[in-house]
Each structure stands twice: as C-alpha cells, then as structure tokens.
Amino acid sequence: MKRRDLLKYASMLPIGTGVAAGLIPTKAFAKAPAAKRNILKELGIRTFINAAGTYTAMTASLMHDEVVETIKQSAKQFAMLDEVQDKVGEKIAELCHAEAATVTAGCWSALVLGTAGVLTGMDMKKVAQLPNVTGMKAEVIVQKGHNIGYVHALTNTGAIIVEIETVQELEKAINEKTAMMWFLNTYAPMGKIQHEEWVAIAKKHKIPTMIDMAADVPPVSNLWKYNDLGFDLVCVSGGKAMCGPQSAGILMGRKDLIAAARLSAPPRGGNIGRGMKVNKEEIVGMYVALEKYINQDHDAEWKMWESKIDSIKTSVNSIEGVTTEISVPPIANHTPLLFINWDESKVKTSNKDLMLKLRNGSPSIEVMANGTGINITVFMLQEGEEKIVAKRVREELLLAKA
Ligand SMILES: *Cc1c(COP(=O)(O)O)cnc(C)c1O
C-alpha cells in the first residue's frame, strides 16, 4: 500500500484500530513516559493498607523489589519456557531438599498438576485422557478432617476422594485403585493421623503422598520439613508470606512425579493444565522470592512484627471497654495476631461498622472481622504503616465512645 492508501485505509478502521496497528501517530504516544502513570489511581481502584493478612481477594502480598526487578528484566528477553522451568526447578529443589521442583500457577495449580502426574505417570495417552480416569488408579485417600474445599483441586483431575478417619479405616481403604494419599497441613489437628504415620503407612503400601502447605511458612523450615519427612509431593503458595508473584506457587518432590506433572502443564497443550500457564517472568520471580525468603533474618523479622503489634495494642489498650489479646496461629499464617474486642455498651460500634470506617477512611485500611471484634496482622504492612493503623483504629474506637 502507498502512504496515501494507507491513510485512507486507516481512516476507515474503527477508532483505536489504526492506533494499535501503528498507522496513526497520536498524542497518546507523545505523552509523558509510561513509568509516571499510576494505573490503579487512573482506573479509580482503591488501594489500601493491608492489616488483614495474605488474603487472595486482597491480592495477598506485595512483591519485594528484587522480584519486581527480576520480572522487569526478564520480560525483555526470550527464552524457552521448558528451559526456564528446568533451571529454576533445579535451584528450587536444591534450596528445599527436594529431588525436583517446578513453578506452578499458585498452590492450587500445584495440587492439580501433581495429582495429574500421579494418575498418568509418563503415559501421554493418559495425559490426554484426563479428566476421564478410566483405566487408571484414581482414588485419593483424604482424612475426614482434611476434606474441605481444597480437595476440588484434586477432583479437577478426575480423581475420586475416599474419606477415612482412623488408621484401621485407612488400611481398609487402600486397594489396587488407590492412587495417592493427600494431607492438608493446616488441618493436621483436625485429623486423627499425623504426618509421620501418614507417610509410613503410604510407604508400606508404595502409595505416593502429597501435602498442601500453601500458607504454612513461616517458619521457613517448613519449606524443607515435609520433603525431609518423606512426602512425595509438596505444594506451597508463592504469593503469600514469601511475597513472590501472587499467581505463582511451587510443586516439589520426587523427580519422576514432577516430570509426569509437567506433562499436564504448558507449554504442552491437549491436557488439563494448559490454562495454568506461568510466564517466565513469574517463574524466575518465584525463584528470587524463595531465595530471598530463605536468606532473610527471620528472628529479626519476628521481633519487628512483635514490636509493631505491641504498638497497635498499646494505642487502643487504654480505651475503656476495649480488650486486646495477642496470639500466633499455630500452623497457617503463623505470625503475631492482635485481637481487639470491645464492650458495645461502652464503645458503640459493631465490628462490621468499624471495618467500614477504616476502609472508607484515608488512607483506606483493611482488617478482618473475628466474632464481635477485629483481627489485625502486621506481616503485610509496609514501613511505618503500623503507626497509621494504630492511630486510625484508636481514633475510630474513641469516636464510637461518646
Ligand atoms: C491459599 C491456599 C491454597 C491456594 O493457593 P494459591 O497459591 O492461591 O493457588 C490452597 N490450599 C490452602 C490450604 C491455601 O491456604
């Protein structure tokens, strides 16, 4: 096309198309450098101080500068997706005492792909056949106390959940169709069988085991504890306390099972995991986040959390009718937690109203409801934000006193 025809052609296109095709120079291209844009502000999206925790709906965690830098830098170079997974997988495996590892689209995706790998092994026909499990061992044994919503990740593959409660029931449930035994770490206290026994019984019957420990760092040692304990597959979230990309996670464990799991994952298609793609930026971002998390000073971090929690507690403690309590959840989200409760005849607001006032205040703050009071965590707070949280919560409780 000649330039004249090009312009004529461009003028016939719907608005925007010509711009996208690079045909019409517009003011948009002449604007200030992209880095100056604040896209969340521009779109009118509310941002807030996260005093609640690593909730998926709140976008869980903020990536460290090193992770953002890694994503930015790797975004400008091509690489083979499988090679990125190979090299990063080797490093992650080494860091976490596993034979092999792969980065997945979150812990949920690790659960799906790991289970798929157990069901199919290296048989490509079976990979293509899922979620139809005809001809495969497909029963996954789960303790009754662990049988909550997360098992949907397992049934996504076509696997069938077999629920048991006692060791006797477990021994009876194991048969030639048993594919795997699954353990939900955060619900360990709700089960009658603990980790060591679960693994020992599985090993006796040569059945692979998988553990979901999505939100269960800190402590950092959990990253290798369950590999050391003998679980064949370990699944963890990357975007919770580790502050990696929110849509990344890790599947690690036995080499043959990781290789089999990857058959159901991109870049391969025609499988149940094709939609669980992780881009190279997030794969390397996950690695850098993990490395940073492992190498940071966890004692110093814990002391900092305690001091922040203490300062918020102190700011509201003296208000008449308000009570506070600090605790640490034993397994998931194992960080200091401040529970603030109040006598509603003295402080006349419900916890739902207080949450709204904090949300609608400036800056906006998110906390969690708990019974009649609220929970506050500090592990997702950025530098200095504890002071703002302390001031705002105190302010609102005092206003409600009148
Ligand atoms: C968060 C969570 C998941 C899902 O993890 P994602 O990384 O969000 O995919 C699975 N299991 C448990 C117990 C979790 O807490």
Side-chain angles (χ1 to χ4, degrees):
M1 265 194 259
K2 289 194 190 112
R3 184 179 152 77
R4 190 173 9 118
D5 298 333
L6 256 178
L7 288 176
K8 194 172 144 201
Y9 169 68
S11 71
M12 288 165 8
L13 295 173
I15 294 169
T17 321
V19 176
L23 293 171
I24 312 169
T26 69
K27 265 174 83 182
F29 290 114
K31 265 193 183 164
K36 294 249 166 68
R37 278 179 87 175
N38 181 340
I39 197 73
L40 296 181
K41 200 169 170 193
E42 190 181 311
L43 295 173
I45 294 166
R46 177 176 62 95
T47 57
F48 50 84
I49 292 175
N50 180 357
T54 57
Y55 291 92
T56 299
M58 297 184 190
T59 60
S61 64
L62 298 182
M63 293 183 282
H64 291 298
D65 290 345
E66 291 90 330
V67 178
V68 176
E69 193 46 49
T70 301
I71 288 174
K72 211 174 131 187
Q73 189 265 330
S74 59
K76 291 296 179 185
Q77 287 163 309
F78 283 103
M80 297 305 278
L81 193 55
D82 265 335
E83 191 184 353
V84 180
Q85 284 283 19
D86 288 345
K87 297 276 161 62
V88 165
E90 271 174 35
K91 292 285 187 192
I92 292 179
E94 214 177 289
L95 287 169
C96 299
H97 309 186
E99 274 178 30
T102 190
V103 177
T104 57
C107 179
W108 184 276
S109 158
L111 298 170
V112 178
L113 296 176
T115 306
V118 167
L119 298 187
T120 64
M122 297 304 284
D123 186 334
M124 290 308 291
K125 259 176 70 185
K126 289 181 177 168
V127 169
Q129 188 191 306
L130 289 186
N132 174 349
V133 294
T134 309
M136 302 178 210
K137 293 181 179 192
E139 290 183 4
V140 176
I141 302 178
V142 176
Q143 294 188 69
K144 188 174 179 193
H146 298 204
N147 193 6
I148 61 164
Y150 294 112
V151 298
H152 206 304
L154 315 177
T155 56
N156 270 0
T157 65
I160 298 136
I161 302 298
V162 175
E163 192 184 273
I164 57 98
E165 248 189 304
T166 61
V167 170
Q168 286 84 343
E169 284 174 25
L170 171 58
E171 290 280 5
K172 229 177 101 193
I174 293 173
N175 66 57
E176 69 286 349
K177 291 200 202 101
T178 307
M180 189 171 84
M181 288 167 54
W182 186 72
F183 198 96
L184 178 58
N185 195 49
T186 176
Y187 274 51
M190 279 64 132
K192 289 193 159 60
I193 309 170
Q194 292 309 305
H195 306 76
E196 290 83 356
E197 197 174 11
W198 193 253
V199 169
I201 294 171
K203 285 207 188 303
K204 188 173 80 184
H205 294 278
K206 297 192 168 56
I207 296 166
T209 45
M210 174 189 276
I211 187 166
D212 173 344
M213 50 154 291
D216 308 346
V217 288
V220 62
S221 55
N222 276 359
L223 286 169
W224 43 87
K225 179 177 176 181
Y226 302 108
N227 288 314
D228 291 346
L229 257 175
F231 278 93
D232 297 299
L233 289 170
V234 176
C235 307
V236 61
S237 292
K240 292 179 180 168
M242 277 195 275
C243 295
Q246 190 191 6
S247 42
I250 297 170
L251 173 69
M252 51 189 168
R254 247 168 61 188
K255 202 168 184 164
D256 59 324
L257 294 178
I258 299 295
R262 285 181 61 185
L263 295 181
S264 282
R268 284 150 294 281
N271 54 35
I272 58 164
R274 181 59 182 86
M276 299 176 197
K277 182 168 59 193
V278 192
N279 62 31
K280 71 170 179 313
E281 293 81 2
E282 290 195 330
I283 298 171
V284 290
M286 181 69 252
Y287 166 51
V288 169
L290 175 76
E291 192 183 43
K292 182 178 166 64
Y293 182 70
I294 289 175
N295 291 326
Q296 74 195 39
D297 185 340
H298 295 275
D299 291 337
E301 186 178 49
W302 193 276
K303 287 200 183 92
M304 179 188 73
W305 287 339
E306 281 184 333
S307 113
K308 286 181 176 179
I309 278 275
D310 249 6
S311 70
I312 300 171
K313 177 179 149 93
T314 307
S315 77
V316 297
N317 245 354
S318 56
I319 302 171
E320 199 206 335
V322 172
T323 52
T324 57
E325 191 189 319
I326 295 171
S327 65
V328 177
I331 306 178
N333 303 301
H334 176 76
T335 74
L337 177 81
L338 175 65
F339 176 57
I340 305 176
N341 206 359
W342 54 91
D343 176 347
E344 280 191 34
S345 69
K346 291 181 175 142
V347 179
K348 297 185 177 66
T349 183
S350 68
N351 59 353
K352 297 268 153 51
D353 277 343
L354 183 76
M355 282 170 72
L356 272 180
K357 286 170 196 156
L358 293 171
R359 179 176 295 160
N360 295 333
S362 179
S364 180
I365 298 170
E366 288 290 338
V367 298
M368 266 291 148
N370 177 4
T372 56
I374 57 167
N375 278 347
I376 286 180
T377 68
V378 295
F379 72 130
M380 286 299 120
L381 294 184
Q382 306 300 295
E383 186 73 33
E385 287 180 346
E386 73 281 2
K387 294 194 186 74
I388 303 171
V389 174
K391 175 173 165 281
R392 285 289 299 129
V393 176
R394 178 181 167 79
E395 247 168 40
E396 290 299 344
L397 288 171
L398 283 175
L399 274 172
K401 267 200 70 84

